[in-house]
Amino acid sequence: MQDVFIVDHPLIQHKLTYIRDRNTSTKMFKELLEEVSMLMAYEITRNLELEDTDIETPLVPTRGKVLGGKKLAVVPILRAGLGMVRGIENLIPNVRIGHLGMYRDHDTLQPVVYYNKLPQDMHQRDVILVDPMLATGGSAVIAVDELKKAGARSVKFMALIAAPEGIRHFFDHHPDVPIYVAAVDEKLSEQGYILPGLGDAGDRIFGTR
Ligand SMILES: O=P(O)(O)OC[C@H]1O[C@H](OP(=O)(O)OP(=O)(O)O)[C@H](O)[C@@H]1O
Ligand SMILES: O=c1cc[nH]c(=O)[nH]1
Ligand SMILES: [Mg+2]
């Protein structure tokens, strides 16, 4: 399949420009990332199943639609993925949250997994995996490996910015998992940073540099 959906609503493009800007404060960075995540989640959840339900308005009985029984989970890749969770929770307050902790080794750029806590009933859940950055794609590939190992019913990957190299690497391993991004940037730097990108997402969210 190899589907890449670029969610480039004008509001998202506007906010993304300020997210990229090095002069944007930690507070604004977090708020903007949350807002963009909510807007992207609106698009990702477009095909959620609905079922009929009978209710009464103050005037007459009627039939309405509510979300069907399909179970969802949001799984952020720590740390930076945490910055995208609240925006999704604003739309789906009861969504279950799993956590996958990993960081890129600075020299090898290989992901190192340090934490895995997923809902027990993953085989019943459709998962939205979130991480702002898809750079070499190494972290996302390992994360989807973990989700598939846990039996996830389906997986969608939502990132803010992707590098073309990362998209290719991701689909080499998981062609069945669609990618949703706000932007596909030009390329990776020699140090494995996305260009033009936004710098180190985790450091900018948590103010660690
Ligand atoms: O596609 P890749 O080349 O694997 O790079 C992307 C990963 O790098 C960043 O995390 P980082 O390793 O900086 O950890 P952090 O979130 O704790 O800062 C980012 O949030 C992704 O998880
Ligand atoms: O540009 C990049 C690449 C990997 N991780 C980041 O946070 N930023
Ligand atoms: Mg980081």
Side-chain angles (χ1 to χ4, degrees):
M1 285 187 302
Q2 308 204 350
D3 289 326
V4 182
F5 298 100
I6 300 177
V7 190
D8 60 354
H9 188 285
L11 285 172
I12 293 179
Q13 291 187 55
H14 173 88
K15 290 173 194 294
L16 179 58
T17 299
Y18 289 98
I19 288 175
R20 290 183 189 276
D21 189 337
R22 67 182 306 155
N23 294 314
T24 295
S25 67
T26 299
K27 177 175 184 287
M28 279 303 294
F29 188 95
K30 277 187 284 202
E31 288 176 7
L32 288 164
L33 180 59
E34 181 179 325
E35 289 168 12
V36 169
S37 304
M38 187 166 72
L39 292 166
M40 291 185 73
Y42 178 78
E43 188 58 35
I44 275 197
T45 53
R46 170 175 293 282
N47 295 318
L48 283 184
E49 278 176 23
L50 293 170
E51 58 190 31
D52 291 335
T53 187
D54 294 322
I55 57 158
E56 289 183 22
T57 74
L59 301 174
V60 287
T62 188
R63 180 161 284 189
K65 295 202 180 290
V66 291
L67 291 176
K70 271 195 162 181
K71 294 180 173 180
L72 288 180
V74 172
V75 176
I77 299 178
L78 309 184
R79 291 174 301 168
L82 289 173
M84 302 180 84
V85 172
R86 177 98 44 91
I88 303 176
E89 280 181 306
N90 288 343
L91 291 183
I92 318 169
N94 283 321
V95 75
R96 297 296 188 265
I97 317 280
H99 294 87
L100 290 175
M102 58 188 75
Y103 65 89
R104 278 195 329 177
D105 180 279
H106 274 289
D107 298 322
T108 65
L109 299 185
Q110 290 307 303
V112 180
V113 180
Y114 60 86
Y115 191 68
N116 177 328
K117 186 72 183 173
L118 300 170
Q120 276 184 344
D121 54 353
M122 285 293 281
H123 56 285
Q124 295 178 31
R125 294 196 178 269
D126 296 314
V127 177
I128 304 173
L129 176 69
V130 298
D131 189 329
M133 311 306 278
L134 177 66
T136 65
S139 304
V141 165
I142 301 285
V144 175
D145 286 345
E146 296 283 320
L147 296 175
K148 287 183 174 174
K149 236 187 291 168
R153 233 172 45 162
S154 72
V155 182
K156 292 177 175 171
F157 180 54
M158 172 172 141
L160 189 66
I161 302 177
E165 297 90 327
I167 293 174
R168 282 196 294 273
H169 179 65
F170 184 83
F171 284 142
D172 281 347
H173 293 263
H174 299 296
D176 55 315
V177 175
I179 299 175
Y180 292 75
V181 283
V184 177
D185 275 9
E186 204 182 315
K187 60 177 181 181
L188 287 180
S189 73
E190 281 176 15
Q191 294 76 30
Y193 279 87
I194 300 176
L195 297 175
L198 52 72
D200 187 300
D203 285 340
R204 293 198 63 189
I205 293 168
F206 296 106
T208 40
R209 196 181 276 177

